[in-house]
Amino acid sequence: MADSAGASSGMATAAAAADAYVASTVAAHPVVVFSKTYCPYCSMAKEALATSAKSVVDAPTPHIVELDLREDGAAVQAALARLTRRRTVPNVFVGGTTVGGGDDVAALSRSGVLKQMLRAAPETLSAANAAAAAKAVKASSGSGAAAPGGASPAKAVKGGISAAATASDTCAAPSAATPAKDAATSPSGLRTVLFGAGCFWGVELAFARVRGVVETTAGYAGGSSKNPSYSSVCGGATGHAEVVRVVHDPAVVSLKDLLKVFADRHDPTVANRVGNDVGTQYRSAVYVETDAEADEVRAWAAKVAAKRHKPVTTEIRTGVPFWAAEESHQRYLEKRGQVATKGATARIRCYG
């Protein structure tokens, strides 16, 4: 028993050391690639970074960590899996945030997004480190522990946005979202609406293209549990729907106009299903800030029902808490090369 306890203690110590190493490495370098010397996908990621860096003045030099050359390589890879839910290499961080593996980085490079990320990486990393330091100070006063590497656990934001923890892109991997505000505190002059119309990847891209929409965030709303994760929402036990938080300027784009985009993304007369996605997390929903806005949405629903001769299933509520999804789900399709510019009309292709 003593030997077993000693082994367990040693494993825990090694895991803690690996976690600390990953966190400190990510915090110290604007670009980090956790790699293996023989891995072709790692080479792909490095080449994509090098290609994008050619167009960026003073692009940060990637800090390469070859796990197969380290004695603690297996422990570091396990630490990365705990942090990002990616169990394979490469694992690439830009500005303190994981951006995925070889295919992900290559797609970002092709779309031009990686250049923008590299330009902003030093500033983004400084902001992430400052936020992590503030979080640690707050935690030391008894309000909770900071997440490793500056990643933050899910917070509920009433209509607001908070930084999301990293996560996998599949329902199979558990992870935490970001605490929310409810849909009741828009910035001055702006309005906020939460739209649920199936998988939030395509919904976010559709609204991001709309002129007058100043901010979109994928997340969860409408359920009873706090700090939901993608996997828990996919499991259906939380009661949350996948939604997109849309902050818009009503002087440029009205709620009526946004409802047209919403209706184009799904059939609001079908309950708990959009295409091949089935479950309460894919339900049709519009969560607004005021009773007047809710009345406007109900009037829209009545017109749709009358036109289609079917009842509209859209859930319409006010003041619903919103939880920002994990960072890996934010701008998911844009990161993979689909156009998000205002007014774009290219077909939105949904894929995992």
Side-chain angles (χ1 to χ4, degrees), residues 199 201 332-338 349-352:
C199 175
W201 296 340
Y332 184 88
L333 297 180
E334 180 186 352
K335 290 175 182 176
R336 283 153 179 79
Q338 295 195 45
R349 307 178 309 282
C350 290
Y351 46 74

Side-chain angles (χ1 to χ4, degrees), residues 52-312:
S52 293
K54 291 177 182 178
S55 303
V56 178
V57 177
D58 296 327
T61 301
H63 179 75
I64 310 295
V65 180
E66 302 291 6
L67 299 184
D68 56 320
L69 301 182
R70 296 178 58 93
E71 289 186 6
D72 63 349
V76 172
Q77 188 164 348
L80 287 165
R82 286 190 291 274
L83 177 62
T84 69
R85 308 300 179 188
R86 290 187 59 84
R87 293 175 174 80
T88 59
V89 291
N91 207 319
V92 182
F93 290 76
V94 178
T97 300
T98 181
V99 297
D103 289 337
D104 301 309
V105 176
L108 289 170
S109 180
R110 288 192 299 271
S111 69
V113 173
L114 188 57
K115 294 177 186 177
Q116 301 171 26
M117 296 176 73
L118 291 175
R119 287 191 189 96
E123 183 178 345
T124 305
L125 181 62
S126 295
N129 288 341
K135 193 178 184 76
V137 170
K138 186 176 181 180
S140 68
S141 65
S143 59
S152 47
K155 311 173 193 171
V157 283
K158 290 198 171 187
I161 298 177
S162 42
T166 57
S168 165
D169 294 325
T170 70
C171 285
S175 57
T178 317
K181 304 172 183 175
D182 66 14
T185 50
S186 293
S188 178
L190 303 179
R191 305 302 299 165
T192 298
V193 187
L194 309 181
F195 289 101
C199 175
F200 46 27
W201 296 340
V203 178
E204 181 180 24
L205 182 57
F207 282 110
R209 292 174 169 183
V210 176
R211 292 185 177 88
V213 170
V214 299
E215 195 172 78
T216 59
T217 309
Y220 317 111
S224 57
S225 64
K226 296 181 179 181
N227 296 327
S229 68
Y230 186 59
S231 56
S232 66
V233 171
C234 284
T238 67
H240 286 294
E242 290 191 14
V243 301
V244 174
R245 179 176 181 267
V246 177
V247 180
H248 68 104
D249 183 347
V252 180
V253 61
S254 66
L255 176 57
K256 179 180 178 181
D257 293 330
L258 295 178
L259 287 168
K260 292 177 183 177
V261 179
F262 172 69
D264 284 343
R265 288 303 306 167
H266 75 311
D267 183 349
T269 68
V270 176
N272 303 326
R273 177 170 188 156
V274 178
N276 294 324
D277 295 325
V278 180
T280 57
Q281 70 271 29
Y282 300 118
R283 66 184 180 271
S284 179
V286 180
Y287 304 137
V288 292
E289 298 179 302
T290 68
D291 290 338
E293 289 170 328
D295 288 341
E296 183 175 351
V297 179
R298 293 188 186 100
W300 162 85
K303 290 180 181 178
V304 172
K307 183 176 181 179
R308 301 191 184 186
H309 306 289
K310 297 180 185 177
V312 167

